Amino acid sequence: MQKKIIKVNVTDNIAVALVDLRAGEIISFEGEDIKVLTDIKSKHKLALQNFSTGDRIIMYGVLVGSANRNIKKGEVLTTKNVKHQSEKVTGRTDVFKWKAPNIDKWKGRTFMGYHREDGQVGTENVWLFFPLVFCENRNIEILKNIFEKELTKQKVDPHQLLLRSLVSGNNKTSSIEQSTDVFDNIDVKFITHAGGCGGIRQDSQSLAKLLAGYINNPNVAGATVLSLGCQNLQISIFKDALNHINPNLNKPILIYEQQQIGTVDEMLSTIIKDTFEALKKANKIKRKPAPLSKLRVGLECGGSDGFSGISANPTLGAVSDLLVALGGTAILAEFPELCGVEQELVNRCVNDADGDKFLKLMKAYEKSVVDAGSGFDMNPSPGNIKDGLITDAMKSAGAAKKAGTSPIEAVLDYGEYINKPGLNLLCTPGNDVESTTGLVGSGANVVLFTTGLGTPTGNPIAPIIKVSSNTELKKKMPDIIDIETGAVIRGEKTIEEMADDMLEFIIKVASGEIQTKAKILNQNDFIPWKRGVSL
C-alpha cells in the first residue's frame, strides 16, 4: 500500500503529502497518530510538530524557512504561515568523504558517439549557423528556410493543415512530405539572438564566449558564422574567445562579413555554396563506440513541483554519481536555486579555492538581485508555489539533489568551459532556457531536465531528456516527457533502480537510437544570459 506522507531526512520536522489528505484524517507515522487539521493537496507539506513564530523549519536536513505565525501539528504549510530563511555560510566547516556507488555493471559499457580530434565525443553531429549580431538574424532566417526546405524531410505542420482546411472549406488534412533527408548523418541547426551590439561591451564578450563554447561542444561538426562588420562583437573578439577555450580547435568555421562582401545576394550565394561543400564532408563522420566517461551531462530543472525533490531530482543525482564514478562529467547550474544548501556544496569542493569562488559568485549574484529591488526569495514561480514549493530554500534543497553526493571538482562562471571530469558547478540563472543554453555552451553533450508541471524546452545542438517527477504529467503531456519517475513516489522502484533505467535511456539517446521528444518537436531554444537580473 502506498504511503500517505514521507519525511525526506530523519532530522526533518515537516513531511510531504504523497496523496491528497483530508481534514480530520488520522495518519499513523513513526509510531504516532497525526490528525490532519486542514485539507492538504499532494506535494504540499504537513507540520510534524507545533511551531511557534520564528521556529526553524527543516526539510532535506537543512533550514528551508521559518514560521511567521504559530503552526499546529497536522496543519498545512503555506506562504501565509512560512517565510523563506536559509543558513549563513562563510566557508568550509567539514572534511568531505565520498562513498562512490557500485559501477560493476556499467564498466565496459559504451555509447555510439561522434569522436572529435580534441578527444571530446559528441552525441549529435550538427552543423550550426549563427550571427555575431542581431542585425544578421534576417539572413540567418533566410538561410534556415532555404536549407531546411532542400535538405530535410518536409512535413506540413498539422496546425497549418487545419487552418488550410478552414480557409478552403475542405476537411481533408493529408500532408505531403519529402521522402528522405539529403544528408543522413548531419543535422543543420540555426541560432538567432538579440545581442552582439548595443548594451555594454561586456555583454558582447560574454556572448562571444558562449558562442565559442557552442562551436567547441563535441556535438558540433562545424559552423557558418555571419557578421555585419561594425558591431561590438567583432570577429576578432569571437576568434579570441575560441582560442581561449581551445587553442587547438580544428573544426571548419566559415565566417562571412556582410559589409566586406557587399550585397545580400552575393553573400548568401557564397555562403550556400561553401556550406554545402562543408556539409558533404561533415556528413562522412560516423558514430563509433565511446566509453561512458565521455558523457558530459547537464543537470537542469524547470516547472518543478513538490515531488521533484523526492523523485526526479534524486534520480538525476544517482545518475550523476554513477557517471562521476565512471570518469564522466555532471554539471549542476541554476545558482539562485542553490540558496540554502551552500554549506553542503562548499564542503564538497575538492579545492578551497573553488569553495571560495562558489560563495563569491553566489554573493555577487544575490547582491545584484537585491540592488534591483528583489531577492532569491522571489525565485519560486506561481506554479512552484501552487504545487508545494513555498520558499526558495525549500525549492533549492530539492533542486540540489540533482547533483548527487560526489565531490565538486570545479566551479565555473557563466561561459567558462569544462576542463575537469567529475561534478562541476556552473553559475547560471534559474531561468530554464538561459540555464540550459549556458550548460550546453560549457560543454554538456546531453542534458537531463526534470519537471513536475511540464516544460517544453529544447536545444539546437544537445539532446534534452525530459524527466517528469510524477506519472500524471507523463500521461497528460506525453509529447514532451521522455521518462517519468512516478514509480518512486508510489514505492514501486528505488532511486537506484530508477537511475539504472535512466542511464540506459541516456545511452540510447547518446547513441542516436532514440530521439528525445524535444528533438521530435524541433524545439531549439537559445537565450544567452546578459548578466542582468534573472532568477
Side-chain angles (χ1 to χ4, degrees), residues 70-99:
N70 293 340
I71 304 172
K72 293 181 180 179
K73 182 177 180 180
E75 191 177 345
V76 66
L77 274 63
T78 70
T79 54
K80 293 181 179 180
N81 58 22
V82 175
K83 64 179 180 179
H84 168 81
Q85 187 177 341
S86 61
E87 297 283 10
K88 301 299 180 184
V89 185
T90 56
R92 186 187 298 275
T93 61
D94 198 7
V95 177
F96 179 73
K97 294 181 180 179
W98 184 48
K99 183 180 179 181

Side-chain angles (χ1 to χ4, degrees), residues 180-202:
T180 59
D181 291 346
V182 174
F183 296 122
D184 59 0
N185 212 38
I186 184 82
D187 287 330
V188 183
K189 295 292 183 178
F190 301 81
I191 285 174
T192 57
H193 56 79
C197 203
I200 57 176
R201 296 299 172 92
Q202 289 91 327

Side-chain angles (χ1 to χ4, degrees), residues 157-188:
D157 187 287
H159 300 102
Q160 184 177 339
L161 290 172
L162 173 61
L163 179 58
R164 184 180 299 172
S165 69
L166 293 172
V167 171
S168 66
N170 186 343
N171 291 326
K172 294 181 179 180
T173 58
S174 60
S175 62
I176 300 172
E177 64 179 51
Q178 185 175 302
S179 58
T180 59
D181 291 346
V182 174
F183 296 122
D184 59 0
N185 212 38
I186 184 82
D187 287 330
V188 183

Side-chain angles (χ1 to χ4, degrees), residues 339-454:
C339 176
V341 292
E342 296 99 331
Q343 188 62 70
E344 176 198 340
L345 296 176
V346 167
N347 289 345
R348 285 168 60 183
C349 287
V350 173
N351 299 306
D352 287 343
D354 280 315
D356 293 341
K357 181 178 181 180
F358 170 59
L359 289 181
K360 183 179 179 181
L361 287 169
M362 284 288 285
K363 290 175 181 176
Y365 198 156
E366 186 170 21
K367 182 179 184 300
S368 70
V369 174
V370 171
D371 288 346
S374 187
F376 280 175
D377 60 308
M378 299 299 291
N379 175 267
S381 70
N384 296 149
I385 294 168
K386 183 181 177 181
D387 265 41
L389 299 176
I390 59 174
T391 73
D392 184 47
M394 184 182 291
K395 181 179 178 180
S396 295
K401 293 300 178 184
K402 301 191 299 292
T405 61
S406 67
I408 295 167
E409 296 292 340
V411 175
L412 307 175
D413 199 358
Y414 187 80
E416 291 184 321
Y417 203 84
I418 292 168
N419 56 32
K420 289 184 180 180
L423 178 61
N424 286 244
L425 300 184
L426 174 65
C427 182
T428 74
N431 177 292
D432 302 342
V433 181
E434 288 177 332
S435 182
T436 304
T437 297
L439 282 165
V440 177
S442 287
N445 55 13
V446 63
V447 176
L448 296 176
F449 189 118
T450 69
T451 182
L453 304 175

Side-chain angles (χ1 to χ4, degrees), residues 30-335:
E30 294 187 343
E32 65 173 327
D33 290 338
I34 300 174
K35 183 178 180 180
V36 179
L37 300 182
T38 53
D39 287 347
I40 302 177
K41 292 183 178 180
S42 65
K43 308 179 186 180
H44 285 259
K45 314 304 181 289
L46 169 84
L48 294 177
Q49 66 179 49
N50 291 322
F51 292 93
S52 298
T53 302
D55 283 353
R56 293 158 58 93
I57 294 170
I58 307 297
M59 186 177 176
Y60 299 99
V62 298
L63 178 66
V64 297
S66 61
N68 58 17
R69 67 165 175 79
N70 293 340
I71 304 172
K72 293 181 180 179
K73 182 177 180 180
E75 191 177 345
V76 66
L77 274 63
T78 70
T79 54
K80 293 181 179 180
N81 58 22
V82 175
K83 64 179 180 179
H84 168 81
Q85 187 177 341
S86 61
E87 297 283 10
K88 301 299 180 184
V89 185
T90 56
R92 186 187 298 275
T93 61
D94 198 7
V95 177
F96 179 73
K97 294 181 180 179
W98 184 48
K99 183 180 179 181
N102 187 308
I103 54 172
D104 290 345
K105 68 180 291 184
W106 301 105
K107 288 180 178 177
R109 289 290 301 275
T110 60
F111 70 98
M112 298 296 289
Y114 295 97
H115 293 248
R116 307 302 180 188
E117 290 186 16
D118 59 5
Q120 296 185 91
V121 179
T123 62
E124 303 271 3
N125 195 36
V126 175
W127 187 275
L128 188 63
F129 283 75
F130 62 83
L132 292 183
V133 61
F134 58 81
C135 306
E136 292 296 325
N137 281 348
R138 176 182 176 275
N139 289 328
I140 291 290
E141 293 291 351
I142 292 172
L143 290 165
K144 180 176 186 288
N145 185 50
I146 292 168
F147 275 83
E148 287 186 347
K149 280 185 176 179
E150 296 302 320
L151 299 185
T152 62
K153 184 184 294 185
Q154 295 295 303
K155 185 173 182 179
V156 181
D157 187 287
H159 300 102
Q160 184 177 339
L161 290 172
L162 173 61
L163 179 58
R164 184 180 299 172
S165 69
L166 293 172
V167 171
S168 66
N170 186 343
N171 291 326
K172 294 181 179 180
T173 58
S174 60
S175 62
I176 300 172
E177 64 179 51
Q178 185 175 302
S179 58
T180 59
D181 291 346
V182 174
F183 296 122
D184 59 0
N185 212 38
I186 184 82
D187 287 330
V188 183
K189 295 292 183 178
F190 301 81
I191 285 174
T192 57
H193 56 79
C197 203
I200 57 176
R201 296 299 172 92
Q202 289 91 327
D203 289 340
S204 293
Q205 292 166 354
S206 176
L207 180 60
K209 291 168 65 176
L210 180 68
L211 294 173
Y214 268 65
I215 286 183
N216 194 55
N217 189 295
N219 291 359
V220 170
T224 298
V225 183
L226 275 61
S227 167
L228 178 60
C230 58
Q231 73 274 358
N232 284 347
L233 206 179
Q234 290 286 295
I235 292 174
S236 60
I237 295 174
F238 173 63
K239 288 183 174 179
D240 287 345
L242 277 172
N243 186 64
H244 179 76
I245 286 179
N246 189 349
N248 301 312
L249 184 69
N250 191 25
K251 292 181 181 180
I253 306 170
L254 311 179
I255 304 177
Y256 302 88
E257 188 162 274
Q258 185 173 357
Q259 290 172 348
Q260 290 295 321
I261 295 173
T263 67
V264 171
D265 176 65
E266 235 183 317
M267 183 173 74
L268 295 183
S269 296
T270 302
I271 289 172
I272 291 168
K273 292 174 184 177
D274 293 348
T275 302
F276 185 72
E277 292 302 315
L279 285 171
K280 289 194 289 186
K281 294 178 182 178
N283 190 54
K284 295 177 181 178
I285 305 170
K286 304 295 183 183
R287 290 183 183 270
K288 297 177 182 178
L292 299 187
S293 59
K294 293 297 183 178
L295 289 172
R296 289 176 166 177
V297 178
L299 306 168
E300 177 72 19
C301 57
S304 299
D305 70 350
F307 284 166
S308 294
I310 58 178
S311 60
N313 291 348
T315 299
L316 263 62
V319 171
S320 171
D321 285 347
L322 288 171
L323 286 173
V324 169
L326 287 163
T329 304
I331 317 160
L332 179 68
E334 301 179 287
F335 273 28

